[in-house]
Amino acid sequence: MVAIRPQSAKFFVFNNLLPALKNPAFRRLCRRAPRGRRVSSRAWQSQAWTSTEPLEVLRRVFGYPAFRDAQASIISTVVSGGDALVLMPTGGGKSLCYQIPALLRPGCAVVVSPLIALMADQVAALTEAGVNAAALNSTLDARAASQVERAFVAGELDLLYVAPERLLTERFLELLDRTRVALFAIDEAHCVSQWGHDFRPEYIQLSVLHERFPAVPRIALTATADELTRREIIERLKLDDARVFISSFDRPNIRYLVTPKDSAREQLLRFLDREHRGHSGIVYCLSRRKVEETAAWLEERGIKALPYHAGLDAQTRADNQRRFADEEGTVVVATIAFGMGIDKPDVRFVAHLDLPKSIEAYYQETGRAGRDGQSADAWMTYGLADVVLQRRMIDESEADESFKRIQRGKLEALVGLAETAECRRVRLLAYFGEASRPCGNCDNCLWPPQVTDAGVAAQKALSAVARTGQRFGAGHLIDVLRGKKTTRVVQLGHDRLKTFGVGADWDDRQWRLLFRHLVAAGHLHADAESFGALKFTASSRAVLDGDTPVLLREAAVKAAPTARTRRKSAQALAPAPVDGNDPLLGALRAWRLATAREHGVPAFVILHDSTLATIAATRPADRAALAAISGIGGAKLDRYGEILLQLVRTND
Ligand code: ADP
Ligand code: ZN
């Protein structure tokens, strides 16, 4: 049996000073005194370490000046041994909520994470910051894995990331019995929800942690949780005693844009040309084939675009993901298989060429934009065909009826978001139970859509549905309304109907918009079994009788928004404009790229864009000035301080 070292570095905080001196992680932690004063580690320890505060760790290890929102209360809850459920949007700073307690509590923190790519980046970033972190997952060979296990049991690690299926093996649970565990962090906790889009059966079994290790505090974290999921997490993970921390789900730096679909790819290209040339971004499509085609199509038009979907071999997927992380201005065209493990901070846009399944999925996918807090776009095109397709996928799935009903409800909520003429953010946040006021940073706020009363047109449309026997989709109905004598129309005798030609004053697109709206508003139902035939619902009658008004947004006829009309506060959130030709910034970027290659990590693990931009803008002259820059912690200062200062000096 491997001997347990009862007193790892952090145990010292609560006990005596001596054992800590032996621990290299601790020594690294102590290298820098508060406020940048350099003192010998012994002096620093005896004066201050016994009262080490989370804030000092934040400053010294991670190089950030202050906690955000609830971070401080979450950390103090966990440090003092309590359970916590943390609901925080992507980019909110969830990782620090368990990383800092991991450094302050005795023992090693065990972090359950479903995605290997994410683990690798987290471990790389922590190692860069001088923290002893490792991961156990299927990418390690047996020898490497047993090395990590040995270090874990020997108390040499501060954080261990582990995949859920690995954690649940009896072998690993026995290792846990023999090891001092500082806390369990359960990342992406919504994976426990059977109704959710990321359901992982192993997550349900994680309640074993509570049963087997009741004294170890647990912190569950997620960026996606509606009321239902929230309750499920608490129940399934047995977090009844956990303090629940709900941060605002607002991502004020993300601008939400939804455009009716006409020629989706062309619309995307125009959007990229106008706003995002040379930026990193993600384009989501529903099918593998469409991913491939779109990537190739963008590539032909001079945009560096890589495909990503589950049908590609593992090597290609890994390569494309790496290139996305490492190479500036790369666009990934992907199915939803891509993304959960992505924590690239400078994704400037997320585009949806197809409709996601729910608001949660939309929110999670768009949430990958702008994690660095700088302005970013969530852009989507959608059309009636999307809604019909998604409906069909739900209806034809193997799931039972109650599951399907929930999925349909979720889809409808999303369509409602896409259709609304009001602030999109208000809708989005309301879905997560949060009240808010019009945001000024979505298309509807920036370019308020004209709303017109389309009651009469709706009556015509519904009467066309009725007179053709509720058996046809929008395409044929529009032909009838517009008075087109297509072969089908003539064969079916629909040119003799009373509604034939009553809608000649509108073009195809306007009618499509109306049909989509009627479906979204629940006045028509697209029946999957009869290939999207539009049928009446309980509310159709009232529309037909003119009792329910139909207010239609005219977004379709409006010109696309331009960059110039971005709202002021969004600009305020943007970084200070940096001169693209600044030789210092260029030199910093080149150095970062070379260093990242050398260390085999993505560039942002070395230093974030915003940190480089601040260095370029403030030109720090000495270590103290450099240390004051957000994102430069003790280990980075030691490792890169000299070279950074030198770069500043030589690029004057
Ligand atoms: P999440 O897991 O919630 O999506 P992360 O933990 O990856 O978010 O944090 C997002 C980014 O914000 C990271 O680059 C992280 O270093 C940074 N960050 C977190 N907390 C702070 C803070 N208090 N001050 C400055 N930056 C922070
Ligand atoms: Zn708005």
Side-chain angles (χ1 to χ4, degrees):
M1 200 183 101
V2 188
I4 303 170
R5 223 172 56 192
Q7 292 175 324
S8 77
K10 295 148 290 160
F11 198 48
F12 154 81
V13 179
F14 305 90
N15 289 277
N16 60 64
L17 297 166
L18 282 173
L21 292 172
K22 297 191 203 112
N23 187 299
F26 177 73
R27 282 210 299 276
R28 266 200 302 274
L29 276 177
C30 293
R31 223 179 278 156
R32 219 155 52 100
R35 292 179 292 278
R37 237 173 344 113
R38 255 175 105 72
V39 284
S40 81
S41 60
R42 190 178 283 273
W44 161 224
Q45 285 157 24
S46 55
Q47 287 167 22
W49 185 246
T50 40
S51 63
T52 291
E53 302 272 346
L55 188 58
E56 292 171 30
V57 179
L58 178 76
R59 290 181 177 161
R60 275 182 297 125
V61 180
F62 297 94
Y64 296 130
F67 282 119
R68 287 181 185 160
D69 308 324
Q71 278 178 332
S73 352
I74 297 165
I75 289 168
S76 83
T77 299
V78 179
V79 168
S80 59
D83 293 342
L85 171 59
V86 175
L87 309 165
M88 206 186 263
T90 312
K94 284 186 287 302
S95 321
L96 291 182
C97 297
Y98 57 82
Q99 289 168 347
I100 290 180
L103 295 172
L104 288 170
R105 284 183 59 83
C108 175
V110 174
V111 185
V112 188
S113 169
L115 266 133
I116 293 171
L118 185 89
M119 285 188 204
D121 284 351
Q122 292 264 7
V123 170
L126 285 166
T127 309
E128 275 292 320
V131 177
N132 283 332
L136 262 186
N137 56 47
S138 53
T139 62
L140 299 187
D141 61 34
R143 240 191 63 206
S146 74
Q147 247 170 19
V148 171
E149 287 179 8
R150 257 202 311 279
F152 173 56
V153 177
E156 287 161 12
L157 296 178
D158 298 313
L159 282 114
L160 177 66
Y161 286 79
V162 54
E165 55 278 6
R166 169 82 64 141
L167 176 97
L168 290 165
T169 59
E170 191 48 38
R171 182 182 145 67
F172 191 81
L173 292 171
E174 272 164 22
L175 280 188
L176 290 178
D177 284 333
R178 291 191 275 132
T179 311
R180 181 156 200 140
V181 180
L183 59 101
F184 291 112
I186 302 168
D187 209 1
E188 312 287 356
H190 62 279
C191 290
V192 83
S193 164
Q194 279 179 305
W195 307 119
H197 50 287
D198 287 328
F199 176 55
R200 301 246 169 173
E202 317 87 51
Y203 260 65
I204 290 189
Q205 296 169 50
L206 291 176
S207 60
V208 72
L209 296 178
H210 177 56
E211 287 142 19
R212 198 150 157 171
F213 309 96
V216 179
R218 290 169 305 146
I219 170 171
L221 312 102
T222 177
T224 309
D226 53 343
E227 181 65 38
L228 185 69
T229 319
R230 205 174 295 169
R231 280 203 304 259
E232 246 186 309
I233 294 175
I234 293 175
E235 187 186 322
R236 292 190 193 278
L237 295 179
K238 302 213 163 48
L239 281 167
D240 310 81
D241 297 330
R243 267 190 79 182
V244 180
F245 296 89
I246 304 178
S247 298
S248 169
F249 270 62
D250 190 14
R251 301 283 311 278
N253 60 316
I254 297 183
R255 186 176 62 161
Y256 296 98
L257 308 167
V258 182
T259 317
K261 194 180 266 189
D262 51 65
S263 53
R265 270 193 212 158
E266 300 283 352
Q267 288 173 294
L268 173 68
L269 186 65
R270 279 201 297 277
F271 167 67
L272 297 186
D273 276 340
R274 204 169 52 228
E275 311 247 356
H276 292 293
R277 272 281 170 180
H279 289 171
S280 296
I282 306 174
V283 177
Y284 283 110
C285 306
L286 214 52
S287 72
R288 294 173 185 184
R289 204 185 54 161
K290 192 158 165 191
V291 162
E292 299 273 357
E293 287 172 2
T294 307
W297 190 85
L298 288 173
E299 192 69 47
E300 278 166 25
R301 278 149 193 84
I303 289 172
K304 190 158 74 177
L306 303 169
Y308 191 103
H309 57 72
L312 294 170
D313 63 90
Q315 189 58 46
T316 311
R317 281 208 310 269
D319 286 349
N320 288 356
Q321 179 160 341
R322 265 297 149 220
R323 287 184 57 192
F324 177 64
D326 292 351
E327 296 173 16
E328 281 179 42
T330 306
V331 173
V332 159
V333 185
T335 58
I336 50 167
F338 181 77
M340 210 167 134
I342 302 304
D343 57 358
K344 186 173 165 63
D346 57 351
V347 175
R348 295 271 67 86
F349 68 89
V350 169
H352 281 94
L353 286 183
D354 293 310
L355 200 64
K357 286 182 176 31
S358 63
I359 291 188
E360 287 101 308
Y362 171 74
Y363 181 79
Q364 194 182 49
E365 285 153 25
T366 55
R368 291 172 186 135
R371 292 171 78 123
D372 54 11
Q374 299 170 19
S375 44
D377 281 327
W379 181 94
M380 176 164 82
T381 57
Y382 100 110
L384 181 60
D386 285 332
V387 185
V388 173
L389 178 67
Q390 289 280 7
R391 273 300 289 256
R392 186 149 69 206
M393 282 165 58
I394 295 170
D395 291 344
E396 288 173 358
S397 77
E398 303 277 293
D400 63 34
E401 201 37 53
S402 65
F403 183 80
K404 288 184 181 178
R405 210 169 29 245
I406 289 183
Q407 299 305 309
R408 282 188 207 115
K410 289 188 171 200
L411 176 61
E412 260 155 43
L414 178 66
V415 173
L417 173 71
E419 282 289 329
T420 185
E422 284 146 31
C423 174
R424 303 215 191 261
R425 195 178 311 268
V426 167
R427 272 282 179 123
L428 198 55
L429 294 176
Y431 185 80
F432 294 110
E434 208 176 316
S436 64
R437 299 160 64 79
C439 73
N441 195 29
C442 71
D443 49 3
N444 288 347
C445 284
L446 289 165
W447 311 281
Q450 292 281 308
V451 184
T452 49
D453 181 358
V456 174
Q459 286 167 1
K460 290 179 187 170
L462 291 183
S463 114
V465 172
R467 286 177 196 277
T468 52
Q470 304 186 43
R471 286 187 294 122
F472 298 91
H476 180 73
L477 293 167
I478 292 171
D479 288 344
V480 173
L481 284 161
R482 297 195 58 211
K484 280 201 210 160
K485 293 201 175 190
T486 64
T487 326
R488 197 158 171 227
V489 167
V490 175
Q491 268 173 3
L492 291 163
H494 287 170
D495 52 344
R496 295 194 300 275
L497 295 175
K498 252 178 126 175
T499 37
F500 183 74
V502 294
D505 52 332
W506 271 20
D507 63 18
D508 267 28
R509 203 188 31 155
Q510 286 167 305
W511 281 114
R512 280 204 176 273
L513 188 73
L514 177 65
F515 275 111
R516 194 176 63 222
H517 179 84
L518 291 172
V519 171
H523 302 319
L524 279 176
H525 158 71
D527 186 11
E529 259 146 50
S530 38
F531 304 101
L534 296 174
K535 303 203 158 160
F536 276 12
T537 66
S539 65
S540 308
R541 192 75 246 168
V543 176
L544 208 48
D545 294 346
D547 293 338
T548 300
V550 175
L551 297 177
L552 195 61
R553 50 176 301 144
E554 290 183 352
V557 286
K558 285 188 76 71
T562 64
R564 258 173 291 136
T565 35
R566 271 174 189 273
R567 81 161 177 174
K568 290 232 162 52
S569 62
Q571 277 161 4
L573 287 161
V578 278
D579 181 359
N581 299 321
D582 181 349
L584 175 54
L585 191 61
L588 289 167
R589 286 226 175 95
W591 163 80
R592 179 177 66 172
L593 187 63
T595 314
R597 290 240 166 91
E598 195 183 305
H599 295 202
V601 297
F604 64 80
V605 165
I606 305 294
L607 288 174
H608 282 185
D609 279 358
S610 53
T611 307
L612 293 192
T614 313
I615 296 175
T618 60
R619 305 194 167 244
D622 53 28
R623 261 178 85 92
L626 199 57
I629 291 175
S630 180
I632 300 186
K636 291 191 183 178
L637 188 65
D638 283 350
R639 207 168 306 155
Y640 307 131
E642 272 319 306
I643 175 83
L644 288 172
L645 291 172
Q646 206 179 326
L647 284 170
V648 173
R649 280 195 297 272
T650 52
N651 286 282
D652 229 356

